[in-house]
Amino acid sequence: MDYDAMDGLEDIGPRVTVREAGKNTVDFTLTNVDLAFANSLRRIILGEVPTMAIDLVEVEANTSVLADEFIAHRLGLIPLNSKDVDSILYTRDCDCEQYCDNCSITLTLHARCTSNEVMKVYARDLVVGSVTPNDEIGRAVISDPEGLGCVIAKLRQGQEIRMKCIAKKGIAKEHAKWAPTASVGFEYDPHNKLRHLDLWYEEDPIKEWPKSKNAAWEEAPIEGAPFNYVARPAIFYFDVESIGNLEPDAVVQQAIKVLQQKLAAVIQELAGDEGRGGGDEYEPRSPAGMNGAATTDYAMDDGYRTAYGNGGNASAWGGGQTPYGATPYGQNTGWAA
């Protein structure tokens, strides 16, 4: 099955112009794509780039004033280096029962205060204790000049913390601790020529809504010019700030990879059997308990009855078999096949 390129883009392809790059930030423009593509990339950068974060904490000793759950939550939010994270499996894809070296990284935290002074426990005190794909992955991200990292807890004399931390691979859609970025700046049409924004103002919108630095990259609108109803945004401005677990360019590259996988999955579904490598080898199967092989009370009979549909009969809201029998509201007219 053939698919056409995005309207007006032909075979030019996306174009990236890096305006500024630093250790944890990258500022670039994206052109030759439409708004949907650019916004999809932004959303994936925010929520679907895989990283490592502490997910399980086994408390062996905690005599501090902080509760176990409080410390576990703080440990989960410590950014961990996620270089070469693709070499780590998701827990759901691993054959182990809970965790192993293939799908997790083990860190240990042991601190005991023996002096009269208050002892601070830092992120640097987390020690990687398992076999890792490289020397960096799983280690706490430390960016302060003293090389200490964030404070985990404070101990007084005689107090002790001893914990085993299990870091796993995940994405920010599951929990914010897996977020690779602190922020993602995204802007287009800085002069608001497309009127996508209705700027509220009291007296003068120009003074109350100052232009961003991106306005210098586009021509200002001509006063009194007619509105262009077919105009589309042409330049998209990104400002990606990493929290240190991945380099900013690696975050963008991983996001592009995830987007490619999503588009490939869509094309494969649209292609049907042809996209699965041959119609003879592909046989759709229902999960156990469907199509007459019911083993539980909530088994779905024909594949389109809900678990609470009373065997396909009317539910508390009416309705019956969907989508080709009765309507969702129990009216047997209008939608019948």
Side-chain angles (χ1 to χ4, degrees), residues 126-200:
L126 286 168
V127 180
V128 177
S130 61
V131 179
T132 58
N134 55 67
D135 295 336
E136 300 180 26
I137 190 170
R139 283 161 175 74
V141 175
I142 299 175
S143 57
D144 57 294
E146 295 79 12
L148 301 175
C150 57
V151 177
I152 299 174
K154 296 180 180 180
L155 305 178
R156 293 302 299 265
Q157 187 176 16
Q159 294 180 343
E160 179 185 12
I161 290 179
R162 187 167 66 251
M163 299 180 176
K164 180 180 179 181
C165 309
I166 310 301
K168 295 186 177 182
K169 179 180 176 180
I171 59 176
K173 263 189 173 181
E174 302 174 38
H175 195 284
K177 64 186 177 183
W178 279 297
T181 59
S183 64
V184 178
F186 178 74
E187 185 182 19
Y188 67 91
D189 188 25
H191 294 287
N192 198 28
K193 292 185 291 185
L194 302 177
R195 311 284 175 83
H196 286 185
L197 293 177
D198 186 10
L199 303 178
W200 181 90

Side-chain angles (χ1 to χ4, degrees), residues 54-74:
I54 293 175
D55 193 46
L56 296 176
V57 177
E58 299 177 2
V59 181
E60 300 176 5
N62 178 23
T63 56
S64 70
V65 297
L66 301 179
D68 296 348
E69 296 83 0
F70 188 91
I71 298 178
H73 181 261
R74 292 182 65 87

Side-chain angles (χ1 to χ4, degrees), residues 101-123:
D101 290 341
N102 294 326
C103 64
S104 66
I105 296 176
T106 302
L107 301 95
T108 57
L109 176 64
H110 186 196
R112 180 181 177 85
C113 181
T114 58
S115 66
N116 294 327
E117 301 294 330
V118 176
M119 175 184 177
K120 294 182 180 180
V121 182
Y122 294 96

